[in-house]
């Protein structure tokens, strides 16, 4: 008897979302599993998916496997057809592989160790594969022989717990810092103020008598399995230069990992007017900690027309009451912003002074929080001088801090507000601006967005701009904007052209 098309055959569909997938701590050859799911149509057997985020045998490929549970019921051997796929947000298939007539014994695993290149998923096509850093994997299962009366489906989610910390670290008397003398910065949890990690800075010898700037990262939280670290060097006007980025695994409690900055003490000292104002080396950092799986649940089970869902139900009265309460709260905060009542800090531009509240700015910006909680001149004077931003940009930034509202965006002020949000690490505001810029991207402004996103090291937004330029290459590459980009930022333009001819 000939096999029916898969679209006509009853099947069981399992969809698994893995949140914060970039912070999986598994190394090459290590796996993370989905929740176990039962397939009634296949002898009431139980199954699970296994993901190798950094590869099974090769680090360059993501591996995906299907396992029959060792303790499940049913016959010793079950024969199925199955399909494994990675999905886009709209449910369309980005990558898939099929296997027909596969016989599974209990505790047996089959799948694909080179399902798709890791670089494609996590870098080149990240916006497609990992929207909001969520990977969606689907498994479809059919009985190889015989029909089943109805289809079924199950959805599950796994969430990796992360904590992201931004910090400002001022290293005083840097020019006279002795070799091997350590300066220490401790990073604490926002939720419970417990210590997460220590950073030690010290100088050491290098080639040609260059003094290298070394760091040691020490994990002091037993729950942390993996961490990413970024460090930026701040110049006299607050511009950031990325000087380090890497990832670390902490297999044992108290493990210490060393690393070295790309710039040396000699290089910084030679540019002391730019980087050593008052002999203080100013660093900004971002650390993201992975604490393993914090949530694992089945969110939906459906057989035929009957379904059971895991959900929280609110009555209409509950919704109305909470909405009114929130509106009142938001209006009160807007009044606080408008009237400047009990303000304790002033943001000063070249032409205007804006009263504000330290607790509001600190809640939205780790940069402001560092200013107001450390021994910095802004904390002592209750004035923050921001001459490089326009009055309208400061006004919009403050309005968002107090009300979570962005008003009257156009392309020019969205670009300026995006740059301000990036400087002060206001991530939600930065996301709103980048969404506006993506939505309003055109042939006339694509080069501007490519340059803006590249200057702010926004890989996702750069990818959007680059893909748009390649899609409209004839119009853009023959324009004056592109010619200007090639003259002023040759490497950036060359990278786009390299992709054009590669494709």
């Amino acid at each position: 008897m000939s096999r029916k098309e898969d679209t006509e055959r009853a099947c069981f569909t399992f969809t698994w979302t893995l949140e914060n997938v970039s912070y999986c701590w598994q190394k090459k050859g290590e796996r993370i599993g989905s929740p176990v799911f039962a397939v009634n149509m296949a002898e009431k057997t139980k199954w699970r998916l296994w993901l190798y985020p950094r590869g099974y045998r090769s680090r360059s490929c993501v591996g995906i496997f299907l396992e029959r549970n060792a303790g499940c019921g049913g016959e010793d051997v079950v024969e199925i057809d199955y399909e494994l796929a990675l999905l886009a947000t709209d449910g369309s298939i980005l990558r898939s592989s099929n296997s027909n007539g596969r016989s599974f014994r209990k505790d047996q695993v089959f799948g694909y160790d080179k399902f798709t290149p890791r670089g494609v998923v996590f870098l080149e096509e990240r916006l497609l594969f990992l929207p909001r850093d969520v990977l969606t994997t689907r498994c479809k299962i059919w009985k190889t022989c015989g029909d089943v009366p109805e289809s079924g489906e199950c959805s599950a989610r796994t969430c990796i717990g992360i904590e992201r910390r931004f910090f400002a670290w001022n290293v005083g008397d840097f020019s006279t810092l002795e070799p091997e003398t350590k300066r220490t910065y401790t990073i604490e949890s926002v939720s419970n103020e417990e210590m997460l990690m220590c950073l030690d800075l010290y100088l050491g010898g290098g080639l040609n008598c260059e003094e290298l700037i070394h760091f040691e990262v020490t994990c002091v939280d037993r729950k942390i399995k993996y961490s990413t670290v970024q460090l930026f060097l701040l110049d006299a006007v607050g511009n950031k230069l990325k000087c380090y980025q890497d990832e670390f695994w902490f297999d044992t409690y108290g493990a210490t990992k060393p690393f070295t900055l790309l710039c040396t003490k000699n290089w910084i000292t030679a540019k002391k007017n730019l980087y050593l104002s008052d002999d203080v080396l100013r660093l900004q950092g971002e650390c993201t900690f992975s604490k393993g799986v914090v949530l694992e649940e089945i969110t939906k089970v459906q057989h035929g027309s009957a379904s059971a869902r895991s959900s929280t139900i609110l009555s209409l009265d509950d919704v109305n009451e909470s909405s009114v309460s929130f509106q009142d709260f938001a209006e009160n905060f807007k009044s606080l912003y408008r009237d400047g009542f009990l303000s304790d800090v002033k943001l000063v531009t070249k032409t205007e002074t804006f009263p504000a509240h330290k607790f509001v700015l600190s809640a939205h910006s780790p940069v402001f929080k560092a200013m107001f909680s450390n021994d910095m001149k802004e904390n002592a004077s209750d004035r923050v001088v921001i001459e490089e931003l326009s009055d309208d940009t400061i006004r919009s930034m403050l309005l968002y801090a107090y009300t979570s509202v962005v008003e009257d965006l156009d392309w020019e002020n969205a670009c300026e507000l995006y740059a301000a949000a990036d400087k002060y690490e206001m991530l939600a505001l930065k996301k709103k601006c980048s969404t506006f810029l993506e939505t309003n991207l055109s042939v006339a402004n694509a080069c501007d967005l490519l340059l803006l996103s590249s200057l702010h090291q926004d890989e996702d937004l750069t990818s959007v701009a680059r893909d748009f330029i390649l899609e409209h290459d004839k119009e853009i590459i023959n324009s004056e904007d592109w010619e200007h980009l090639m003259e002023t930022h040759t490497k950036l333009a060359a990278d786009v052209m390299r992709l054009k001819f590669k494709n």
Side-chain angles (χ1 to χ4, degrees):
M1 183 170 63
S2 62
R3 171 185 164 184
K4 297 179 182 178
E5 293 296 325
D6 288 346
T7 54
E8 300 175 5
R9 301 165 68 200
C11 72
F12 185 89
T13 303
F14 175 69
T15 305
W16 176 37
T17 57
L18 179 54
E19 301 171 21
N20 297 324
V21 63
S22 296
Y23 299 97
C24 284
W25 63 94
Q26 288 77 12
K27 302 177 184 178
K28 186 185 77 170
E30 297 177 348
R31 62 188 185 176
I32 182 170
S34 74
V36 174
F37 58 95
V39 182
N40 291 339
M41 57 178 281
E43 311 296 340
K44 296 185 177 180
T45 49
K46 294 182 179 180
W47 307 76
R48 81 185 311 169
L49 294 179
W50 290 106
L51 174 74
Y52 290 81
R54 290 182 176 82
Y56 177 61
R57 292 189 179 91
S58 169
R59 185 180 167 87
S60 64
C61 291
V62 174
I64 303 178
F65 294 81
L66 175 64
E67 178 189 51
R68 184 182 173 193
N69 192 272
C72 70
E75 299 293 332
D76 289 339
V77 179
V78 175
E79 189 173 345
I80 63 168
D81 304 334
Y82 68 90
E83 174 196 72
L84 299 178
L86 297 179
L87 305 183
T89 305
D90 60 3
S92 59
I93 295 176
L94 300 172
R95 294 285 191 278
S96 67
S97 291
N98 299 275
S99 181
N100 298 320
R102 177 67 70 180
S103 296
F104 277 83
R105 297 183 179 276
K106 296 178 182 180
D107 201 26
Q108 199 161 19
V109 183
F110 292 103
Y112 306 93
D113 62 336
K114 296 181 180 179
F115 188 79
T116 193
R118 174 177 165 81
V120 171
V121 176
F122 287 88
L123 293 174
E124 297 170 20
E125 299 182 27
R126 182 183 180 87
L127 290 177
L128 281 176
F129 283 91
L130 304 180
R132 299 177 299 280
D133 205 23
V134 177
L135 180 70
T136 302
T137 307
R138 187 186 69 190
C139 174
K140 283 192 168 186
I141 296 176
W142 297 266
K143 287 190 69 174
T144 300
C145 299
D147 289 331
V148 293
E150 60 184 13
S151 296
E153 63 178 290
C154 174
S155 299
R157 62 187 284 240
T158 299
C159 180
I160 296 171
I162 65 171
E163 181 169 347
R164 184 173 285 114
R165 293 288 285 110
F166 301 90
F167 61 91
W169 184 5
N170 295 327
V171 183
D173 300 322
F174 181 75
S175 63
T176 58
L177 184 63
E178 294 293 331
E180 307 302 330
T181 299
K182 290 188 176 182
R183 300 285 180 86
T184 301
Y185 188 92
T186 59
I187 301 172
E188 297 179 345
S189 172
V190 175
S191 58
N192 55 22
E193 296 185 350
E194 292 183 357
M195 191 181 300
L196 299 172
M197 179 180 288
C198 289
L199 281 173
D200 290 319
L201 177 153
Y202 61 95
L203 302 178
L207 297 175
N208 302 320
C209 298
E210 292 271 345
E211 285 189 285
L212 302 179
I213 305 173
H214 298 294
F215 287 82
E216 287 182 350
V217 182
T218 304
C219 175
V220 293
D221 186 328
R222 295 180 185 274
K223 295 187 291 293
I224 294 176
K225 300 174 178 290
Y226 166 81
S227 176
T228 61
V229 175
Q230 292 187 77
L231 281 179
F232 300 89
L233 188 62
L234 296 186
D235 65 17
V237 295
N239 295 318
K240 298 190 298 186
L241 171 68
K242 182 181 283 190
C243 50
Y244 187 77
Q245 179 175 349
D246 207 348
E247 54 188 359
F248 299 97
W249 283 265
F250 299 101
D251 299 321
T252 58
Y253 172 68
T256 296
K257 308 290 183 179
F259 67 88
T260 303
L261 289 194
L262 298 176
C263 49
T264 65
K265 179 186 177 183
N266 302 53
W267 184 86
I268 292 174
T269 304
K271 300 175 182 291
K272 62 182 179 181
N273 291 335
L274 188 61
Y275 292 114
L276 284 182
S277 177
D278 300 323
D279 202 22
V280 176
L281 180 70
R282 292 178 171 85
L283 299 171
Q284 270 192 19
E286 175 184 336
C287 294
T288 305
F289 308 97
S290 172
K291 295 189 174 183
V293 173
V294 296
L295 176 66
E296 189 175 50
E297 63 177 353
I298 298 292
T299 57
K300 172 184 174 183
V301 178
Q302 178 174 325
H303 299 288
S305 59
S307 67
R309 296 176 183 265
S310 171
S311 62
T312 302
I313 301 175
L314 292 177
S315 69
L316 186 59
D317 291 339
D318 293 333
V319 174
N320 289 337
E321 182 180 352
S322 63
S323 299
V324 171
S325 175
F326 177 77
Q327 290 170 1
D328 291 343
F329 182 77
E331 187 59 36
N332 289 338
F333 250 67
K334 188 173 184 179
S335 175
L336 195 66
Y337 158 69
R338 184 176 57 245
D339 300 336
F341 181 65
L342 293 178
S343 64
D344 55 359
V345 67
K346 293 179 176 63
L347 305 188
V348 183
T349 67
K350 291 181 179 179
T351 57
E352 196 167 341
T353 298
F354 298 85
H357 300 81
K358 291 181 180 180
F359 81 95
V360 175
L361 298 179
S362 298
H364 285 273
S365 164
V367 177
F368 280 122
K369 182 177 180 181
M371 285 183 188
F372 302 142
S373 58
N374 295 325
D375 186 19
M376 299 179 70
K377 62 182 181 180
E378 291 85 359
N379 193 27
S381 65
D382 294 331
R383 288 166 56 89
V384 181
V385 179
I386 313 177
E387 294 184 347
E388 70 277 9
L389 297 181
S390 69
D391 294 348
D392 287 341
T393 300
I394 295 292
R395 194 174 290 110
S396 296
M397 187 173 73
L398 285 174
L399 179 63
Y400 182 82
Y402 283 86
T403 67
S404 296
V405 172
V406 180
E407 293 181 347
D408 303 325
L409 271 186
D410 58 34
W411 183 266
E412 183 177 353
N413 61 34
C415 290
E416 293 176 356
L417 193 56
Y418 170 90
D422 181 61
K423 176 178 180 178
Y424 291 103
E425 306 285 4
M426 298 175 69
L427 300 184
L429 176 57
K430 181 180 175 182
K431 179 61 178 176
K432 280 183 177 289
C433 293
S434 63
T435 299
F436 176 88
L437 295 172
E438 289 179 33
T439 305
N440 292 274
L441 186 57
S442 68
V443 170
N445 57 36
C447 291
D448 293 336
L449 185 62
L450 179 66
L451 180 57
L452 177 71
S453 59
S454 176
L455 289 175
H456 291 274
Q457 301 174 338
D458 188 333
E459 295 178 1
D460 289 345
L461 197 57
T462 299
S463 178
V464 170
R466 187 171 55 224
D467 291 347
F468 185 90
I469 291 173
L470 291 174
E471 185 178 347
H472 302 83
D473 55 346
K474 291 183 179 179
E475 299 168 271
I476 294 175
I477 292 177
N478 292 319
S479 68
E480 292 182 2
D481 288 340
W482 181 260
E483 184 176 342
H484 180 69
L485 182 72
M486 290 182 63
E487 292 175 355
T488 57
H489 296 82
T490 306
K491 184 179 184 305
L492 185 60
D495 288 341
V496 176
M497 296 301 294
R498 189 179 300 111
L499 285 175
K500 171 179 168 61
F501 291 109
K502 180 180 178 181
N503 296 333

